[in-house]
Amino acid sequence: MLKFTEDHEWLKIEGDVATVGITEHAAEQLGDLVFVELPDAGSTFDKGGDAATVESVKAASDVYCPLAGEIVEVNQAIVDDPSLVNSDPTGAGWFFKLKLANVSDADALMDETAYQAMIG
Amino acid sequence: MNTSADLLKTPLHSLHLELGARMMAFAGYDMPVQYPMGVMKEHLHTRAEAGLFDVSHMGQILIRAKSGDIRDAALALESVTPVDVAGVAPGRQRYGLFTNEAGGLSDDFMVANRGDHLYLVVNAACKHEDLARLQAALSDSCEIEAQFDRGLMALQGPEAESALAAYAPEAEDMRFMDVRELSIAGARAIVSRSGYSGEDGYEISLDADDTDRIARLLLSDERVAPIGLGARDSLRLEAGLCLYGNDIDETTTPVEANLKWAIQKARRKGGEREGGFPGAERILGQFETGAERTRVGLQPAGKAPVRAGVELFESDTGGTPVGVVTSGGFGPSAGNPVAMGYVPTALSATGTQLYAEVRGKRLEIAVAALPFVQSTYKR
C-alpha cells in the first residue's frame, strides 16, 4: 500500500525499506523536468531533510526525505532521463530506496484517500 | 500578495482561462505562464511552427510633435535615449534604451517611425515610469498618448508568416523591423516584423475589442499554438536577448550590457548628434576606455541548470565571486542548460572557464557566444 506526505512524496513500504518518489500531482505541478540530483547511497536523513533536487525548465525544487532513514539505492535512470518522472511518477520515475529508522513512523502518513482529499 | 481579483486583465484573459492556462501575477497582470502543452513543448513548437503570445501587458505609447514634423518628435525623444531616433526611416522600427544620469538603463523598448508619429512599445513593469519620463521631458514639444488598454500579440516561428498572410497577405512583403498598418480579417492592426524569441515573426497591436477575435482566428490555424510567459523566457534567453530587470537594470550601462550596437554612430563621440542623453558622459567614456564588466553568454558544462543570482568564481575552491548569472535555465532547443550574466571584461573571452556555485558545489561554466540558437529573422 502506498503512503503519502503533505510534501507530495509517495512511499511504497516493503519490510523496512521504502521506495520513494513524487506524486503525479507534484510532477504535473513542476512541469517538464530537465535535471534530477539524487543523494548518495549510504547517506542518512532526518524526516524532512533535503534529499534530492529536481529542476524544470523554469525552477528548482527540493524533494524531502519523507521519514528518517538511510538511502540504500538511488534510481540512476531518472538522472539520465528526468522526463521519466513526468511520464511515470509512481513507477519508473521512483527516486530512492530508504531503509527506515523506525518502520512504525509510516503509520502517521496519509493513505491514498487522505492524500487525494488534501490535493482536492 | 496580490490576489487574482487585484490583478489587471488583458483583452485575452478569458481566452487564456478557456485554453486551460496556468496563470500567475506578472507586472500587475494576471498572465498565462503556460498552457496544458507545457513550457518545453511550447518552446519547441514555437521554433518548429508558430506560437502566439499575449503581450498586451506591455505599454504602447504614441508621440506626436506639436509642430507636425516627426523629426521634432524624434529629436525630443533623443533627449532621453542614446538611440539614433531621427535616423529611423518611415515604416521602420529600432531597439531603444532609456538611460539614467548614472549611465544605467531605466528600460528598453522598441520605437517605430509611423510617418506622422513615433510608436513605442515599452516593458510592462516600467510603462508608467516611462510615460512619466516622456511627459516630463517631451511635453513642451510633443503630445504623448498612452495606449495601455490596447491588445498586443506576438506571433513567432517559421510558420508565422504564412499563418498571418492567410488574413493579411501584405505581411509576406515585410522585412525584419518593418512596421505597417494592416487589415487582419477586417481589424485595423499595427504590425511589426519583430518579436523577442529569436524567430521570424510579428508583433500585432489591435484595439482591445478586436484582440480576442483575431487571437482565436490565428489559433484556428493548427500550426499556431498559444504560448505562455515560461516559454517566452526560455526562447529569449536562447536568443541572447536581455530581460529588463534581470539582465539589464538601473545599475548596468549599455556598454556593460554589451548593447553598444544599440547606440548608433550619430549619437557617439564625433557623431552629428553626439551625447545629449542622460548619462552620456559615462556611457561614451566607456566606449573609449571599456567597461570593467561585460554581459556574456555562459554555457554550463553539466546538466544542472545555473539560474539567476548564482555567483561565478575563477577557481573551483575559495576566492571571492567575480561575476553573477542574471538569467539561466534549460534551453529546450539547445538541449542543455544555458545562461547569461556579468563577468569582468578581462574574463569575457569566449571559452574562458569559470565556476558557478550551485547548492554549495562549484560547477564548470564557460563564457559562450550569444545567441545559443541562431536567429531566423527575415532581413
Side-chain angles (χ1 to χ4, degrees):
Chain A
M1 190 173 88
L2 293 182
K3 289 284 195 177
F4 294 85
T5 72
E6 290 175 3
D7 296 315
H8 311 287
E9 291 105 15
W10 57 263
L11 299 84
K12 184 181 173 192
I13 299 166
E14 291 160 302
D16 63 351
V17 174
T19 304
V20 177
I22 66 170
T23 65
E24 193 172 337
H25 173 77
E28 193 189 311
Q29 290 297 311
L30 290 166
D32 305 305
L33 296 185
V34 297
F35 178 74
V36 176
E37 189 168 81
L38 293 174
D40 295 328
S43 55
T44 59
F45 291 92
D46 292 332
K47 180 181 177 175
D50 291 349
T53 302
V54 292
E55 302 218 27
S56 67
V57 179
K58 280 300 288 174
S61 307
D62 292 324
V63 175
Y64 305 113
C65 197
L67 293 172
E70 179 190 344
I71 306 292
V72 291
E73 190 181 342
V74 298
N75 185 8
Q76 181 63 31
I78 64 169
V79 175
D80 298 336
D81 180 8
S83 72
L84 278 178
V85 179
N86 294 106
S87 59
D88 192 7
T90 49
W94 62 277
F95 276 57
F96 50 79
K97 295 187 180 185
L98 182 71
K99 186 169 191 223
L100 300 175
N102 298 293
V103 178
S104 61
D105 289 349
D107 297 344
L109 300 177
M110 285 179 279
D111 62 17
E112 182 141 22
T113 309
Y115 178 73
Q116 291 298 337
M118 185 191 84
I119 62 173
Chain B
M1 186 78 190
N2 281 321
T3 66
S4 64
D6 297 329
L7 294 170
L8 298 166
K9 295 176 171 64
T10 74
L12 297 178
H13 189 264
S14 58
L15 177 60
H16 299 317
L17 299 182
E18 219 176 281
L19 293 170
R22 189 182 296 175
M23 307 295 284
M24 67 176 280
F26 186 81
Y29 284 80
D30 194 31
M31 296 297 288
V33 61
Q34 66 176 76
Y35 297 88
M37 191 190 273
V39 176
M40 182 91 83
K41 289 198 184 82
E42 288 173 34
H43 178 118
L44 295 171
H45 183 93
T46 304
R47 293 237 188 273
E49 297 185 67
L52 187 71
F53 305 71
D54 181 10
V55 287
S56 306
H57 58 310
M58 297 180 78
Q60 302 178 61
I61 300 174
L62 308 187
I63 304 174
R64 284 190 177 81
K66 289 177 180 172
S67 68
D69 184 350
I70 190 169
R71 185 173 169 85
D72 292 336
L75 294 176
L77 184 58
E78 286 188 359
S79 70
V80 288
T81 176
V83 169
D84 174 7
V85 184
V88 182
R92 295 288 294 164
Q93 177 174 260
R94 182 169 275 177
Y95 177 73
L97 304 164
F98 288 125
T99 51
N100 62 28
E101 291 301 331
L105 294 165
S106 302
D107 197 8
D108 63 350
F109 62 94
M110 300 299 291
V111 55
N113 179 332
R114 293 272 301 124
D116 62 349
H117 67 276
L118 299 174
Y119 167 62
L120 273 65
V121 178
V122 303
N123 280 305
C126 305
K127 65 186 181 185
H128 294 287
E129 210 177 302
D130 290 339
L131 181 63
R133 170 186 301 109
L134 292 169
Q135 282 166 338
L138 278 65
S139 283
D140 286 350
S141 60
C142 300
E143 305 285 353
I144 294 151
E145 184 190 340
Q147 297 193 315
F148 294 169
D149 292 334
R150 273 176 78 81
L152 190 67
M153 298 185 282
L155 181 65
Q156 302 279 291
E159 300 291 343
E161 180 186 85
S162 77
L164 182 58
Y167 305 102
E170 314 92 292
E172 278 182 2
D173 304 330
M174 296 173 66
R175 311 304 296 172
F176 185 57
M177 293 290 198
D178 277 352
V179 181
R180 284 193 206 166
E181 182 178 327
L182 301 182
S183 169
I184 305 174
R188 180 179 166 274
I190 306 303
V191 177
S192 67
R193 193 147 195 174
S194 64
Y196 221 59
S197 64
E199 293 296 316
D200 177 32
Y202 304 85
E203 285 196 354
I204 303 166
S205 167
L206 292 155
D207 281 342
D209 290 346
D210 290 326
T211 310
D212 178 273
R213 177 173 70 89
I214 300 303
R216 286 173 196 268
L217 205 56
L218 293 170
L219 289 170
S220 69
D221 186 320
E222 62 180 16
R223 297 167 298 176
V224 179
I227 309 297
L229 291 176
R232 184 170 170 81
D233 193 52
S234 54
L235 287 159
R236 69 90 197 162
L237 170 58
E238 280 183 344
L241 299 167
C242 291
L243 177 64
Y244 189 81
N246 277 41
D247 307 298
I248 49 177
D249 61 28
E250 298 275 355
T251 70
T252 54
T253 72
V255 177
E256 292 166 0
N258 207 358
L259 295 171
K260 285 198 281 190
W261 58 268
I263 303 178
Q264 292 77 17
K265 281 207 175 90
R267 309 300 306 282
R268 297 188 193 177
K269 278 198 176 149
E272 54 201 75
R273 294 187 312 288
E274 169 186 331
F277 53 85
E281 195 176 338
R282 175 151 185 236
I283 293 167
L284 296 182
Q286 284 187 345
F287 267 90
E288 302 195 324
T289 61
E292 285 182 13
R293 58 175 183 160
T294 307
R295 179 179 64 95
V296 294
L298 295 161
Q299 180 64 67
K303 291 167 80 174
V306 177
R307 300 189 190 272
V310 166
E311 292 181 320
L312 300 170
F313 294 82
E314 267 193 278
S315 80
D316 60 355
T317 53
T320 55
V322 294
V324 65
V325 173
T326 51
S327 283
F330 183 81
S333 303
N336 45 250
V338 292
M340 62 170 101
Y342 285 84
V343 299
T345 302
L347 298 175
S348 65
T350 297
T352 303
Q353 185 67 57
L354 297 169
Y355 297 85
E357 191 162 292
V358 178
R359 291 183 287 272
K361 288 183 201 157
R362 298 269 172 104
L363 307 178
E364 289 184 11
I365 189 166
V367 174
L370 293 173
F372 291 102
V373 172
Q374 207 52 51
S375 36
T376 56
Y377 309 131
K378 293 281 152 64
R379 297 200 187 265

